[in-house]
Amino acid sequence: MTPRRIFRGWVPLLLLVLFVIILTTGVLSGPSEYQKADLSFVQQQIDQSAGAKPETRVVDATIQDSKQIIRIELGNGKKYESSFATEQALVLANELKQQNIKYNVSVDRGNVLVSLLLNLLPVLLIVFLLLFFMNQMQGGGNRVMNFGKSKAKLVSKDTPKTTFADVAGADEAIEELQEIKEFLENPGKFQAIGAKIPKGVLLYGPPGTGKTLLARAVAGEAGVPFYSISGSDFVEMFVGVGASRVRDLFEQAKANAPAIIFVDEIDAVGRHRGAGLGGGHDEREQTLNQLLVEMDGFDVKGGVILIAATNRPDILDPALLRPGRFDRQIVVDRPDLLGREAILKVHAKGKPISSDVDMLIIARRTPGFTGADLANVLNEAALLAARSDVRFISSALLEESIDRVMAGPERKTRAMSDREKKRIAYHEGGHALVAHALPNADPVHKITILPRGRALGYTMQLPLEDKYLSTRSEMLDRLAVLLGGRTAEELVFHEPTTGASDDIEKATQIARAMITQYGMSDKLGAIKFGSESGEVFLGRDMGHQRDYSEEVASEIDDEVRRLIEAAHDEAWEILVTYRDVLDNLVLRLMDTETLSKDDVLEVFATVQKRPSRGSYTGVGRRIPSDRPPVQTPAELGLVPSKVSDLVKGNGGPAGHATNGGGTNGGGSANGGGVSGGNGTAGHPRPAGQADPGTAGGPAGLGHGDPAQSGPGHSAPSPAHGTPPPGSPPPEGPRIANPWAPPTWDNDDDRRRR
């Protein structure tokens, strides 16, 4: 707190004036004309006054009872005063009376103004403290009595502008917000066809994805008054202040319409009404009610667009999310591969990037990173470059910065014995070896036994592409990879350590989620077990509520244990089979402490991938089909003009058999149909037999012979006989949509059952 903030305003000035008045009153009273004397001297003068000379006789005396002072005046004009105790006042009065000395008793009432100020001083002090604290709560300045006014900030023209060119990785959100900009610039274009601009736009998504950055870009692009405020600025300790601020904010915006209002973290004021023990929060609910009325109430004037951002759209009040208020809800999710590359290029502007840096490779290295994470990666790389006194940011510095963002800084000062390092090497080697041997696990990118952050070592796996779904096989392989470290400890050292606690926790969570949430149990079926209890105060899920019996709970525990044990056994089999490879990996780790992707592939050169498991065999009558998925035109190598031929059932280009077979005719490229088969070059197959494909093409793609089958048509089967020369090929069944799943009438596998 600076002295300027303390001493500004009218309250300190008032206190200064009072102090000057009190000081002036004391100065104007002047010095006293009485000499200080001892009480014994004064009493002696009084006792000797009867027989004393006229010039030494006491002629006048005054007793001031309030101040406990006695003053005497002698015949020669000298004046003395002395203090006395409370019980001595009566004694002095009797002595003066006995000596026949004229005396007076006075009670000094003092200065009336000074007395008044002294009496009011405590009250003034309390008022000053109250106003001072209110001033601090309102952010200082002259807003002490204006706490009901809006605290929104109007973006001025001098503010550095952020445009849509500074935002990357959120193309859909930019497109939606561009529409608002176009409406504000040219409303007639939309009004001519009866279109109305959305009254509210809600941006929601994980933290760090760029919601506030998008709002700043709208402020820089809109060209209209832009008011920015946080949701917490509406809530105060006084009931009704938030609603008053909402009214004042919309009044300012309507006065300058068209205008845009941006409310950051709207969940601070827009939570579900009535939530919590006791019925909710009166002040917040009144603020929300006023916000609802202002957005779409009885008296609504157009021209004001509300943009809000939140991380928790699930806890917002339904009345706030309905059409007419937040008409458009835009998700700002984590960027994909190309989005991450674009974000890296945006944040790389102004930084000396080395020529060997490929932003696409860095984007592949950072799956799941948000825009804030990527900005932090480049900033960390710049800091490392400055610390190392290098002029350019190289790929090695970017790799190190990614590790720092993901796992924390490297702990070079932690000293560990060689025995513990060897345990950590076997643990991380177990993870890596199991991951490399399983067909559905992500490739191993890096292995290190150097402590970083809270980890003593780690194995980094990176997917080849962005994934949004996980199959049952991938989750089972993930369980085996997580238990690979503990399995290696059991295999080599004959006992586990505490280092696998996090792996066990994650594996248990995945296994339980597979059973209770994803329905991946053949025994329990596709049922969700349990429900999350609603929010109490914070809008968070406070616990798990069971909605099943004890018998079902026991079966769930058995299924979870079965999955964990199966993954444990699979990891054990892999490590036992390739124990020599594991030992070689540990020796390399003990020597270099860190292995890159190329080093890992070199060590694992002799490791063969395990065959893909049959993850689902069916339950009851639900027997999975042996018919593979239909192939898209892109997979068949068709140009867009030939897609209509595929839909009609005609053949594709020369050399590729398509879905042109009849009941007994040449089969489809994916082996579909009971009697259908794939014709090969000059060797027609019998009915019902599928051709896996000839050399040079993928399995399932039968290559037709142009000389015998004609361009784009499969060879006819013996069941049809040889058609006469020049006759059109047999027309197969029409497919309304090649991407649609087969109907029950055409599902030959269902008929076979």
Side-chain angles (χ1 to χ4, degrees), residues 549-560:
S549 63
E550 292 293 339
E551 291 78 7
V552 175
S554 178
E555 292 180 357
I556 291 174
D557 294 338
D558 292 340
E559 288 289 288
V560 172

Side-chain angles (χ1 to χ4, degrees), residues 4 12-13 93 96 134 149 182 191 224 267 312 315 317 350 359 373 403 406 438 456 495 525 529 561 592 689 746 753:
R4 169 181 280 181
L13 182 61
L96 292 172
M134 291 178 61
K149 299 296 183 180
E182 294 177 3
Q191 295 173 354
V224 297
D267 51 281
R312 296 293 311 277
I315 64 174
D317 194 274
M359 291 301 176
D373 295 329
D403 292 340
M406 293 181 64
L438 292 176
L456 298 177
E495 61 177 352
F529 297 98
R561 181 180 178 82
T592 61
Q689 184 174 356
N746 292 332
R753 286 193 233 107

Side-chain angles (χ1 to χ4, degrees), residues 10-11 121-133:
W10 57 271
V11 177
L121 186 60
V123 179
L124 294 175
L125 182 61
I126 294 175
V127 173
F128 167 73
L129 292 177
L130 179 61
L131 294 178
F132 175 77
F133 287 125

